[in-house]
Amino acid sequence: MDAEVIVRDVMTREYVGVSESDTVLGAVRLMSDEGVGSVVVLRGREPVGIMTEADVLSLVADEKDTKETTVSEAMSKPVISMRPDRSLADAAGMMAQQGIRRIIITGADDELLGVLTERDVISASASPPSIARSNDRERERQAADTELGGRMETNGGDSEYTNQSICEVCGALTHDLTNINGQLVCADCRDF
């Protein structure tokens, strides 16, 4: 039986932090410079919120001035956090239940250790052991199909795309994706 994947194994340890009093425009510029979709809002060393691209879009849709609005007015709160020794399945379940895409990962003393993103979960699900299990299931299905005289139908026919995913930068379908700053990126886009 495969060992259960835990949050510590796949979380993003590097995060971008901002203060509650920073302007939204300043935080957005930082997000752009760092190539991230969110920032952790800190009060000292304590995470008190998270500001995402969606929060910024909502602010702009409400026609608020990003130069004058502080991060504390735009951030999502309260912070949803989890310990790093929890299973990835628990984290994915919490994300689905709470309707969120990011969980703050904290240590025993509530020290901020990193962020687990929806992309981290997806990337871990597409890791080689997961793909190998998927390939095993496909071989089992094909064996059962052969055993039943070819009477089982496939869902969509061709299986040449079974182990491919889409690059989040260019949209190309490929077998070779790497997690770069929380995005699944193909070999051609890694250099940009």
Side-chain angles (χ1 to χ4, degrees):
M1 178 177 235
D2 292 326
E4 188 173 42
V5 177
I6 60 171
V7 169
R8 176 182 292 110
D9 296 335
V10 299
M11 70 184 204
T12 303
R13 295 179 194 286
E14 295 179 15
Y15 59 89
V16 178
V18 296
S19 168
E20 295 172 279
S21 60
D22 289 341
T23 66
V24 170
L25 180 59
V28 167
R29 285 182 175 149
L30 184 59
M31 290 166 65
S32 177
D33 290 345
E34 296 295 326
V36 296
S38 66
V39 289
V40 178
V41 184
L42 301 167
R43 184 179 298 142
R45 293 175 49 165
E46 176 190 359
V48 294
I50 189 163
M51 189 179 81
T52 67
E53 293 167 330
D55 295 324
V56 175
L57 286 175
S58 178
L59 184 82
V60 171
D62 290 342
E63 298 181 9
K64 293 190 178 175
D65 185 358
T66 59
K67 292 179 195 173
E68 300 295 323
T69 306
T70 63
V71 169
S72 65
E73 297 174 65
M75 70 183 186
S76 297
K77 57 186 174 189
V79 173
I80 306 296
S81 64
M82 175 176 275
R83 300 286 188 236
D85 57 350
R86 297 278 299 272
S87 76
L88 194 59
D90 287 347
M94 182 182 284
M95 286 177 169
Q97 181 184 25
Q98 298 289 327
I100 58 175
R101 295 181 179 186
R102 295 160 187 87
I103 297 176
I104 302 296
I105 307 304
T106 57
D109 57 354
D110 291 330
E111 173 190 3
L112 178 58
L113 301 176
V115 178
L116 180 73
T117 68
E118 185 177 56
R119 288 181 181 146
D120 295 331
V121 174
I122 292 168
S123 181
S125 299
S127 67
S130 298
I131 292 170
R133 285 191 300 275
S134 174
N135 289 342
D136 291 344
R137 284 192 297 273
E138 177 65 17
R139 280 191 289 276
E140 289 170 6
R141 189 201 57 76
Q142 288 173 348
D145 185 29
T146 303
E147 214 172 276
L148 294 173
R151 290 180 294 202
M152 288 181 67
E153 299 204 9
T154 60
N155 193 13
D158 295 338
S159 62
E160 73 180 274
Y161 302 111
T162 304
N163 296 325
Q164 294 186 7
S165 295
I166 297 173
C167 172
E168 294 181 14
V169 174
C170 70
L173 191 61
T174 181
H175 293 283
D176 182 28
L177 292 176
T178 301
N179 184 347
I180 308 255
N181 290 331
Q183 285 189 301
L184 296 176
V185 180
C186 71
D188 294 334
C189 295
R190 286 182 203 141
D191 297 329
F192 291 110

